[in-house]
Amino acid sequence: MMIIDTADLTKTYNGRGGCRGITLQVPEGCIFGLLGPNGAGKSTFVKMLAGLHRPDSGQATVLGQPLGRPEARRKLGYLPELFRFQDWLTPVEVLRFHGQLGGLRPRETRADSFRSRIRDTLELVGLSEAANRRVGGFSKGMQQRLGLACALLLEPELVILDEPSSALDPIGRYEIRTLLKQLRGRGVTVFLNTHLLEDVEELCDEAAFLYGGELLAAGPLHKLLGMAGEGGSGRGNWRFRLGGWLPDTWTELNKAAGGALSGQLSLTEADESGNALLSARVSDREQAGYLCSLFIANGLTLYESGPEPHSLEAWFLRMAKSRQGGATP
Ligand code: ADP
């Protein structure tokens, strides 16, 4: 089942900004990453999904219900990009209040079962020790965790997180990634707005790329990576870290390869100690393997070889640039 299904969804602000014509399907049980630079329209899109913005046009269902239905909202957890808690409240009080916003009576939020739910949720986001401290003294990262706790408190089937890692340090990011994987393991669908490509590459089963309010690409991550040149075939850009490099090495190698390296292999950097970084455009893994054997046969030391990292990022940037120029990616 598609847990989010949109067709031509559009929302602008007096005809400007926002996002336009978004048709997107998100399968149940996955971690889905919506990527795009700041101002791409990601928040506008998820605010429509969360029922906070009414679309100008288009259709959508969330959890099988048309947008804004209370039945779907009850099963949806949402972490907005910008939020603030009252300084004088503690996390336990914030979550109790949040339970009431979610439809529980004050009496129900004081019941033992709900208290233990609050405890479990705070533990899940790593805030147990701060459970009764005032939010006013919290770091940004701790506030972000509390926001996440609010989104997870009522055990949603779908969580929509708008830049959940933006205020976190590397350890905090790692912990949030681990948490999101745990949620997926429990069958929760996670929809993640992010500009952090590393989050998408590590976490997401599927992804989409938004730019200037328009959807440029969407699909399973391995397909997007394949389009970016890192598919199972190995086609794409490879890099090689070598030792023993001399000024005339490139010419020697090209001669040994019968001139086939021109336009294919380029020297990215080299230092006086003979360390060099090269990149090559290859059609498959075998061709990369051939280059490795060529380097070794010519007396070079091969320290490292593999696909260029962040090909996805490079591809997205290419697509974004081509949009600016009006050309096809
Ligand atoms: P993102 O989440 O990708 O950073 P947003 O959805 O916040 O993007 O914004 C997309 C575009 O819509 C931006 O150009 C932004 O300036 C504009 N925008 C967002 N919210 C408003 C608003 N409330 N009023 C006017 N313009 C807005």
Side-chain angles (χ1 to χ4, degrees):
M1 181 186 119
M2 292 301 158
I3 204 152
I4 296 170
D5 194 347
T6 76
D8 240 343
L9 208 58
T10 297
K11 156 82 192 161
T12 60
Y13 304 92
N14 294 323
R16 297 166 145 230
C19 59
R20 293 176 297 283
I22 310 294
T23 298
L24 192 66
Q25 280 82 38
V26 177
E28 202 174 351
C30 72
I31 302 183
F32 192 100
L34 183 60
L35 256 174
N38 290 333
K42 306 183 295 297
S43 295
T44 304
F45 182 67
V46 295
K47 280 181 185 163
M48 286 192 279
L49 299 181
L52 299 174
H53 273 336
R54 195 189 288 269
D56 297 342
S57 59
Q59 271 114 41
T61 59
V62 173
L63 290 142
Q65 304 277 341
L67 289 182
R69 286 275 170 89
E71 299 90 311
R73 279 166 99 161
R74 253 176 241 129
K75 299 181 201 158
L76 187 154
Y78 171 59
L79 170 69
E81 186 183 12
L82 299 172
F83 56 88
R84 260 195 87 84
F85 300 110
Q86 279 84 357
D87 286 353
W88 59 88
L89 293 179
T90 67
V92 169
E93 288 165 342
V94 167
L95 290 183
R96 200 178 289 144
F97 179 58
H98 213 79
Q100 288 179 35
L101 289 178
L104 298 178
R105 300 206 174 104
R107 190 165 37 84
E108 289 172 305
T109 64
R110 282 192 291 273
D112 282 348
S113 58
F114 197 70
R115 280 172 201 256
S116 71
R117 169 98 60 90
I118 288 180
R119 236 187 341 263
D120 292 348
T121 311
L122 288 174
E123 194 178 335
L124 195 65
V125 299
L127 278 183
S128 295
E129 304 208 340
N132 293 301
R133 271 166 44 193
R134 291 192 195 285
V135 171
F138 278 19
S139 66
K140 268 191 176 171
M142 288 168 83
Q143 297 207 22
Q144 194 89 343
R145 286 161 197 270
L146 183 54
L148 204 53
C150 292
L152 299 176
L153 179 70
L154 299 176
E155 299 181 324
E157 289 175 29
L158 166 67
V159 279
I160 297 180
L161 308 174
D162 200 347
E163 303 279 1
S165 307
S166 55
L168 301 178
D169 58 22
I171 297 174
R173 279 183 195 166
Y174 171 79
E175 287 170 359
I176 296 297
R177 282 187 204 151
T178 309
L179 169 63
L180 298 185
K181 286 181 199 165
Q182 276 173 14
L183 289 175
R184 175 175 51 193
R186 295 182 190 183
V188 177
T189 309
V190 179
F191 189 97
L192 187 67
N193 265 6
T194 182
H195 60 266
L196 298 173
L197 210 91
E198 63 207 71
D199 275 354
V200 171
E201 287 187 295
E202 191 188 321
L203 281 177
C204 295
D205 308 291
E206 302 218 0
F209 186 62
L210 212 55
Y211 184 81
E214 289 179 34
L215 192 68
L216 296 194
L221 194 64
H222 66 91
K223 279 204 183 150
L224 293 178
L225 284 168
M227 287 162 81
E230 277 191 5
S233 69
R235 181 190 177 89
N237 287 330
W238 279 62
R239 68 174 189 178
F240 307 90
R241 203 170 281 285
L242 302 167
W245 190 266
L246 297 169
D248 62 349
T249 302
W250 197 93
T251 315
E252 294 293 320
L253 284 173
N254 198 28
K255 214 188 286 169
L261 300 186
S262 302
Q264 190 203 4
L265 183 72
S266 58
L267 181 65
T268 310
E269 58 187 57
D271 66 19
E272 285 167 2
S273 318
N275 296 309
L277 183 67
L278 285 93
S279 67
R281 182 110 199 112
V282 299
S283 55
D284 52 32
R285 283 178 194 278
E286 282 67 37
Q287 205 177 1
Y290 161 74
L291 288 172
C292 291
S293 60
L294 185 70
F295 299 142
I296 293 165
N298 281 272
L300 296 160
T301 310
L302 179 63
Y303 292 122
E304 191 189 323
S305 96
E308 290 268 17
H310 301 306
S311 288
L312 191 59
E313 184 172 30
W315 182 63
F316 281 153
L317 287 174
R318 272 206 311 277
M319 288 212 304
K321 272 198 192 132
S322 69
R323 277 293 157 132
Q324 283 168 339
T328 319

